Coordinates of all heavy atoms in Angstrom, one line a residue:
P281 N 2.1 39.5 -4.2 CA 1.4 38.5 -3.4 C 2.3 37.3 -3.0 O 2.0 36.1 -3.3 CB 0.3 38.0 -4.2 CG 0.8 38.1 -5.6 CD 1.7 39.3 -5.6
H282 N 3.4 37.5 -2.3 CA 4.3 36.5 -1.8 C 4.7 35.6 -3.0 O 4.5 34.4 -3.0 CB 3.7 35.6 -0.7 CG 4.7 34.9 0.1 ND1 4.6 34.7 1.5 CD2 5.9 34.4 -0.2 CE1 5.6 34.0 2.0 NE2 6.4 33.8 1.0
A283 N 5.2 36.2 -4.0 CA 5.4 35.5 -5.3 C 6.9 35.4 -5.7 O 7.2 35.2 -6.9 CB 4.7 36.3 -6.4
G284 N 7.8 35.5 -4.8 CA 9.2 35.5 -5.1 C 9.7 34.3 -5.8 O 10.6 34.3 -6.7
S285 N 9.1 33.1 -5.5 CA 9.6 31.9 -6.2 C 8.5 31.4 -7.2 O 8.6 30.3 -7.6 CB 9.8 30.8 -5.1 OG 8.5 30.5 -4.5
F286 N 7.7 32.3 -7.6 CA 6.5 31.9 -8.4 C 6.9 31.9 -9.9 O 6.4 32.7 -10.7 CB 5.3 32.8 -8.1 CG 4.0 32.0 -8.2 CD1 3.7 31.2 -7.1 CD2 3.2 32.2 -9.2 CE1 2.5 30.5 -7.1 CE2 2.0 31.5 -9.3 CZ 1.6 30.6 -8.2
T287 N 7.8 31.0 -10.3 CA 8.0 30.8 -11.7 C 7.7 29.3 -11.9 O 7.8 28.4 -11.0 CB 9.5 31.0 -12.1 OG1 10.4 30.1 -11.4 CG2 9.9 32.4 -11.7
V288 N 7.4 29.0 -13.2 CA 7.1 27.6 -13.5 C 8.3 26.7 -13.2 O 8.2 25.6 -12.6 CB 6.8 27.5 -15.0 CG1 6.7 26.0 -15.5 CG2 5.5 28.2 -15.3
E289 N 9.5 27.2 -13.5 CA 10.7 26.4 -13.3 C 11.0 26.1 -11.8 O 11.3 25.0 -11.4 CB 11.9 27.1 -13.9 CG 11.9 27.2 -15.4 CD 11.0 28.3 -16.0 OE1 10.5 29.1 -15.2 OE2 10.9 28.4 -17.2
A290 N 10.9 27.2 -11.0 CA 11.2 27.0 -9.6 C 10.1 26.1 -8.9 O 10.5 25.3 -8.1 CB 11.2 28.4 -8.9
R291 N 8.9 26.3 -9.3 CA 7.8 25.5 -8.7 C 8.0 24.0 -9.0 O 7.7 23.1 -8.2 CB 6.4 26.0 -9.1 CG 6.1 27.4 -8.5 CD 5.8 27.3 -7.0 NE 6.1 28.5 -6.3 CZ 5.5 28.8 -5.1 NH1 4.7 28.0 -4.5 NH2 5.8 29.9 -4.5
R292 N 8.3 23.7 -10.3 CA 8.6 22.4 -10.7 C 9.7 21.7 -9.9 O 9.6 20.6 -9.4 CB 8.9 22.3 -12.2 CG 7.6 22.4 -13.1 CD 8.1 22.5 -14.5 NE 6.9 22.6 -15.4 CZ 6.9 22.9 -16.7 NH1 8.1 23.1 -17.3 NH2 5.8 22.9 -17.4
A293 N 10.8 22.5 -9.8 CA 12.0 22.0 -9.1 C 11.7 21.8 -7.6 O 12.1 20.8 -7.0 CB 13.2 23.0 -9.2
M294 N 10.9 22.7 -7.0 CA 10.6 22.6 -5.6 C 9.7 21.4 -5.4 O 9.9 20.6 -4.4 CB 9.8 23.9 -5.1 CG 10.7 25.1 -5.0 SD 9.8 26.6 -5.0 CE 9.0 26.5 -3.4
G295 N 8.7 21.2 -6.3 CA 7.8 20.0 -6.2 C 8.6 18.7 -6.3 O 8.4 17.8 -5.5
A296 N 9.5 18.7 -7.3 CA 10.3 17.4 -7.5 C 11.1 17.1 -6.2 O 11.3 16.0 -5.8 CB 11.2 17.6 -8.7
L297 N 11.7 18.2 -5.6 CA 12.6 18.0 -4.5 C 11.8 17.6 -3.3 O 12.2 16.7 -2.5 CB 13.4 19.2 -4.2 CG 14.4 19.2 -3.0 CD1 15.3 18.0 -3.2 CD2 15.2 20.5 -2.9
A298 N 10.6 18.2 -3.1 CA 9.7 17.8 -2.0 C 9.3 16.4 -2.1 O 9.3 15.6 -1.1 CB 8.5 18.7 -1.9
V299 N 8.9 15.9 -3.3 CA 8.5 14.5 -3.5 C 9.7 13.6 -3.3 O 9.6 12.5 -2.7 CB 7.9 14.4 -4.9 CG1 7.6 12.9 -5.1 CG2 6.6 15.2 -5.0
A300 N 10.9 14.0 -3.7 CA 12.1 13.2 -3.6 C 12.4 13.0 -2.1 O 12.8 11.9 -1.7 CB 13.3 13.9 -4.3
N301 N 12.2 14.0 -1.3 CA 12.4 13.8 0.2 C 11.4 12.8 0.7 O 11.8 12.0 1.5 CB 12.2 15.2 0.9 CG 13.5 16.0 0.9 OD1 14.5 15.6 1.5 ND2 13.5 17.2 0.2
L302 N 10.2 12.9 0.4 CA 9.2 12.0 0.9 C 9.5 10.5 0.4 O 9.4 9.6 1.2 CB 7.8 12.4 0.4 CG 7.2 13.6 1.1 CD1 6.0 14.1 0.3 CD2 6.8 13.3 2.5
V303 N 9.8 10.4 -0.9 CA 10.1 9.1 -1.4 C 11.3 8.5 -0.7 O 11.3 7.3 -0.3 CB 10.3 9.1 -3.0 CG1 10.9 7.8 -3.5 CG2 9.0 9.5 -3.7

Side-chain angles (χ1 to χ4, degrees):
H282 202 147
S285 65
F286 217 74
T287 67
V288 170
E289 293 82 1
R291 291 286 156 159
R292 283 176 178 166
M294 290 163 67
L297 183 53
V299 174
N301 275 296
L302 288 167
V303 170

